[in-house]
Amino acid sequence: MKQITVSTNSLTKFPEINKKFPTGNAQFPTGKAKSAKEKTTFPKGRKEFPTGKASLHVWRWLLILLAVQFWPLARLGADPENLSNLLQKADRLDDTDHYLEAITILKGLEKSDPRNVEVLYRISRVDSDLVDDLPDDAKKKGYDYAVESVAYAKRAIEADPRSSEAHVAAAIAYGVMTDFVDDRTKMEYSKLIKGEAEKAIELDPKNDYAYLVLARWNFEMTQLNPILKGIAELLYGQMPPASQEKALEDFQKAIDLAPNKMIHHFCYGEALARLGRKDEAKAQYQKVLRLPPTCREERGYQQKASSGLKTLGR
């Protein structure tokens, strides 16, 4: 999972991946018959598949092709150790910006086991990461990825309602969707973001990303512009309880649980800088610079942290 963009006008937003990949299921490959004798045609006016040796020959080859295509996936589902290795490989690919390869593995595993919660929530998170990296002229494609991310998160929760990671994936996906909706819908999604993050923490109090999401929610709710604040009060009846203190507390909890994750320090530093707490913000930026980057996104965090230090005055 990549950066959480801090913005006064948007709620929890989770970036960001740099490669696009096609959505949907791959079509079954087709090919030409080897010879005129093997070519099977439908006589004009007939709807039935022709019978005889030619039809049996075609069906035999069709069954062989099906077996060749899907047998490896069936084997993956039957081998827990291999499944675990492939999930770890997909995580490494995602973390190192090889998103196309990661999603290829995950969607292949989905075909073998469509209700595997670990596969489903990972696909949701990769889709979420894809959205922010798309160019400005690909907004429609970003929307498609965001919608798919929400759909996979919902499927993950349906497959295992007690999966903390599935609920985090849902919170992230709803946050990404706020880029593509009107202000009222944005605030409706804010309720879902908060609820999913809190559920994730309830199921796993050591889920550092869940605390990061909740920190972002608390912070952004205290920074709403007058229009969004009015909509929030209309939808909630009154402003939901949110505070800067709670936000900073949750940022710190995320760091305590995963002190070597650069994203936690960067987002905490950004929040502190916006609050004018310069010395504390500089300390977080300096930690960002001390951690070794593992991907393009983390190198981006370091560039922004370096710029932030210059703005705050070293």
Side-chain angles (χ1 to χ4, degrees):
M1 184 172 64
K2 311 301 179 185
Q3 177 189 343
I4 302 175
T5 302
V6 180
S7 171
T8 303
N9 295 322
S10 65
L11 292 167
T12 313
K13 178 180 164 191
F14 290 72
E16 284 76 351
I17 289 185
N18 66 341
K19 295 183 181 178
K20 297 180 282 184
F21 56 85
T23 58
N25 295 325
Q27 295 182 346
F28 189 83
T30 59
K32 296 181 179 179
K34 292 182 179 179
S35 67
K37 291 182 180 180
E38 293 178 349
K39 187 176 181 181
T40 304
T41 59
F42 291 85
K44 187 175 181 180
R46 288 188 61 181
K47 296 182 179 179
E48 307 88 55
F49 194 86
T51 59
K53 291 184 178 180
S55 64
L56 291 174
H57 187 73
V58 170
W59 279 110
R60 185 181 300 115
W61 277 106
L62 181 59
L63 290 173
I64 290 172
L65 287 172
L66 285 168
V68 169
Q69 182 176 6
F70 292 108
W71 179 80
L73 294 173
R75 290 291 298 166
L76 289 178
D79 186 347
E81 182 177 356
N82 199 24
L83 173 63
S84 177
N85 290 338
L86 285 169
L87 290 175
Q88 291 178 27
K89 182 177 181 181
D91 289 342
R92 290 193 298 271
L93 289 167
D94 184 20
D95 290 340
T96 56
D97 301 339
H98 294 86
Y99 310 111
L100 177 60
E101 294 92 331
I103 204 67
T104 298
I105 290 174
L106 293 171
K107 289 200 171 183
L109 292 172
E110 180 200 1
K111 291 179 181 179
S112 175
D113 187 358
R115 288 187 58 81
N116 188 309
V117 64
E118 293 195 5
V119 172
L120 296 174
Y121 78 67
R122 281 176 168 85
I123 294 175
S124 173
R125 284 171 62 162
V126 173
D127 276 338
S128 291
D129 287 341
L130 276 164
V131 173
D132 199 67
D133 196 68
L134 294 173
D136 293 337
D137 59 357
K139 188 174 180 63
K140 176 60 170 65
K141 192 64 176 177
Y143 175 78
D144 292 340
Y145 284 133
V147 169
E148 185 175 84
S149 180
V150 170
Y152 271 99
K154 288 181 177 179
R155 285 178 56 192
I157 293 171
E158 290 173 0
D160 183 2
R162 296 196 60 76
S163 169
S164 178
E165 294 296 342
H167 288 282
V168 168
I172 293 170
Y174 287 127
V176 169
M177 279 297 297
T178 62
D179 277 351
F180 304 96
V181 297
D182 58 38
D183 286 344
R184 181 183 178 88
T185 308
K186 191 189 299 289
M187 297 313 302
E188 290 174 347
Y189 280 142
S190 77
K191 297 175 67 175
L192 298 175
I193 293 167
K194 179 176 184 286
E196 295 293 353
E198 290 176 336
K199 185 64 176 179
I201 292 171
E202 176 189 330
L203 293 169
D204 180 8
K206 294 184 178 180
N207 192 324
D208 56 296
Y209 279 118
Y211 280 108
L212 186 63
V213 173
L214 199 55
R216 290 285 295 115
W217 182 89
N218 271 285
F219 190 80
E220 292 298 339
M221 290 300 289
T222 65
Q223 302 289 309
L224 292 179
N225 62 45
I227 294 176
L228 288 178
K229 185 176 293 186
I231 294 173
E233 290 175 348
L234 179 65
L235 291 175
Y236 287 98
Q238 60 180 8
M239 281 295 292
S243 69
Q244 294 175 356
E245 291 74 16
K246 183 65 167 61
L248 299 182
E249 177 184 327
D250 287 337
F251 277 126
Q252 190 59 60
K253 284 182 179 178
I255 290 172
D256 291 342
L257 290 167
N260 292 324
K261 286 186 180 177
M262 193 184 294
I263 185 174
H264 298 343
H265 294 288
F266 177 76
C267 291
Y268 191 21
E270 290 284 270
L272 290 166
R274 287 172 61 183
L275 294 176
R277 297 168 64 163
K278 294 183 178 181
D279 290 341
E280 294 169 273
K282 287 192 288 185
Q284 293 302 318
Y285 285 152
Q286 288 164 353
K287 289 179 181 178
V288 169
L289 295 177
R290 286 198 295 267
L291 290 169
T294 60
C295 62
R296 179 186 58 83
E297 200 66 39
E298 289 191 344
R299 290 189 289 273
Y301 296 160
Q302 291 190 326
Q303 291 176 355
K304 292 176 182 178
S306 180
S307 298
L309 283 172
K310 291 179 181 177
T311 301
L312 295 172
R314 290 180 183 272

